[in-house]
Amino acid sequence: MSDTIRLLPDHVANQIAAGEVVQRPASVVKELLENAIDAGATSVKLVIKDAGKTLIQVIDNGRGMNETDARLCFERHATSKIKQAEDLFQLHTKGFRGEALASIAAVAQVELKTKTQDAETGTTVRIEGSKVISQEVTVTQPGTSIQVKNLFFNLPARRNFLKSNTVEIRHCIDEFHRVALAHPEIAFTFLNNGSELFQLPISNLRQRIVNVFGNKTNEKLVPVQEETPLVNISGFIHKPEYAKKSRSEQFFFVNHRFIKSGYLHHAVLNAFEGLLKEGVQPGYVLFLEADPKTIDVNIHPTKTEIKFEDEQTLYALLRSAIKHSLGQFNLVPVLDFERDQTLDTPYSYKDKTPVIPRIEVDKNFNPFRENTSETPPKKAFKKTLSPAWESLYSGIKKEIISPTGLDDSSWELAIESEEKTGAFPFTAEELSESSPVFQLHNKYLVLPHQEGLLLINQNLAHQRILYEEILKSITVSRASSQQLLLPLEMDFSKEEIRLLAEIKEELEFSGFVFATFDAENVLLEGIPVFMEATDIPAIFLQLIHDIQNEIPETGFSQNDLIAKSLARSGAVKNGSSLALEQQAFMVRKLFLCKEPGISPYGKKTMVTLSRNELDNKFS
Ligand code: ADP
Ligand code: MG
């Protein structure tokens, strides 16, 4: 019998190993930036094209490599950073496994130009899919320049698996942020498709944070500083009133290495307890310096988790350091037993101008409500008199969805594929003429039908209606706008502006009119007809949050995401009382939708009770 075990050829082994280290362009960005820092660079330039799919280049002024090292650095386990196992416990560099360059060279076309500080000439090495193409003497600057071209050129399946440029560049920027924040003592430049995304001079940490996130960040920052024998804690937290839904501005660095730690994050949240309104999170950039011996370094290089020897003490120290800062900067309300707590306003409402609520009488007789005078006051429904409804009304098309007979089992199916099966019970025409609609609990629209009873969730239904309208505006015909009486000015961080700039055109098609759109600020003079000016800042924050948190794995489509987010923000809320014509209108519009049965986020917009089910309840 012949032997069945074989040694894999090197290039195959390298490709397999590369799967671990190089997941996407951002992984390459991280490894190359870290190598530049390990090489003692004081100035680092990152250049990418097509979100890193075509090119990722890092140029540094570090110590460079000699001719031998320039070739050797692409070998697996080739590292200058550790010599023996004990060194693992004294690590002061980011890399140590000697795997990154070998892995990158296995799945891309790489060109390395490097020269040590005192050498006369440098070296150029070209390597593609682990195969050295050439090595020659070159004239070049001291330091190192590595170009990584056409990532996964030899693994089409992996290349196809990459997400849209929007998603991939966001990952690259995330990695860049992590490295740039950890090293304010190094100057960084970041160019994407020839335009400058970041230009960060050598500075202190505060200035670096401001340079990364925008000028408005400065006023948000509160310093944190605590020195203990176990750990030194330093950095900045955001003042509680600047807390956001997004978790994008939360950074922990342990010995200048970015890490993620749910445990330490919890310690921070704990320190903020009572200062934040629900659903928002404080921003922070925090540095922990500890003896490398007390940290488990035996972790995978691409993972950002970390293990500490004495986690509990660390938790307590971190929490108290932050509490201390919050207290010192007078951010914790002073305990005052005389004060009537019910008069305290949460942070978010403090600066809002009060709006007189409009009260509307619920014209619907509600048989479940016995004593009307004792029911709690209803939430005012702001949209009652807004032009939004009328303009939507005028836009109704006379489309007809063919009715068919309906049995219980076809109902679910009908919701899935109404157009093809035509299984929906009503035409929009029929509905407006004959079906009475009534609102239940300011939340559901109830529709009797000869087949049974239909209960529609008003918020989810309106989301579906708006979603399809917005999607149509973006892709087919531009939506009309309502002019704002006073232009609305909003400030954003650089990163937020960058995200918004990418979808500016889609927003314009959805009905937003920008008077100006610059580096940290936008001025809006028109908004979609179904929105209220006062809601706009929240809608934008939600949109940015949604873009930042979209999970790339779910098949990212930008238009879809924008339409979903705006629809959710703009939809009438549950708890709002709807006038009769609004109820009827909502139902009609819903049944004109392509997929009336599900909300844009995949929830059911309606449930049914069939005749049989009803009859059974009384049998
Ligand atoms: P590691 O960083 O884990 O040592 P890498 O594969 O990233 O492994 O790099 C291999 C070696 O190549 C490094 O140990 C270092 O000696 C050398 N090297 C890589 N990048 C640079 C650079 N930008 N400047 C100088 N030397 C570098
Ligand atoms: Mg490295």
Side-chain angles (χ1 to χ4, degrees), residues 31-32 34-35 38 81 94-101:
E31 295 297 339
L32 297 186
E34 291 190 347
N35 279 349
D38 284 346
K81 298 168 194 175
K94 302 197 184 275
F96 59 88
R97 290 168 47 128
E99 271 189 329
L101 290 184

Side-chain angles (χ1 to χ4, degrees), residues 442-500:
N442 285 342
K443 190 173 181 182
Y444 301 109
L445 302 179
V446 185
L447 250 97
H449 184 260
Q450 59 177 27
E451 297 296 334
L453 193 72
L454 200 59
L455 266 170
I456 297 174
N457 179 299
Q458 63 187 42
N459 170 261
L460 296 172
H462 200 202
Q463 283 190 32
R464 160 56 60 184
I465 297 166
L466 291 179
Y467 167 73
E468 292 197 6
E469 279 179 1
I470 297 166
L471 206 55
K472 202 170 127 212
S473 306
I474 300 178
T475 51
V476 189
S477 58
R478 203 184 185 110
S480 50
S481 310
Q482 48 171 324
Q483 180 102 20
L484 291 172
L485 290 177
L486 286 174
L488 182 71
E489 190 178 353
M490 289 183 287
D491 295 326
F492 295 101
S493 73
K494 278 188 188 170
E495 171 64 3
E496 290 168 340
I497 284 284
R498 198 193 57 74
L499 287 178
L500 290 175

Side-chain angles (χ1 to χ4, degrees), residues 250-295:
Q250 300 177 337
F251 298 87
F252 280 120
F253 298 95
V254 172
N255 296 349
H256 296 268
R257 177 195 285 272
F258 172 81
I259 62 135
K260 281 185 186 150
S261 164
Y263 191 65
L264 295 183
H265 173 69
H266 192 269
V268 177
L269 286 190
N270 197 312
F272 272 87
E273 204 172 79
L275 297 175
L276 302 173
K277 68 173 179 135
E278 221 185 290
V280 298
Q281 304 244 355
Y284 53 80
V285 180
L286 291 168
F287 288 78
L288 310 181
E289 308 269 350
D291 186 337
K293 284 198 202 78
T294 65
I295 299 165

Side-chain angles (χ1 to χ4, degrees), residues 92 129 166 171 284 352 354 420 480 564 597 600:
H92 293 286
T166 320
H171 285 287
Y284 53 80
K352 280 198 176 171
K420 273 148 257 136
S480 50
K564 267 171 26 186

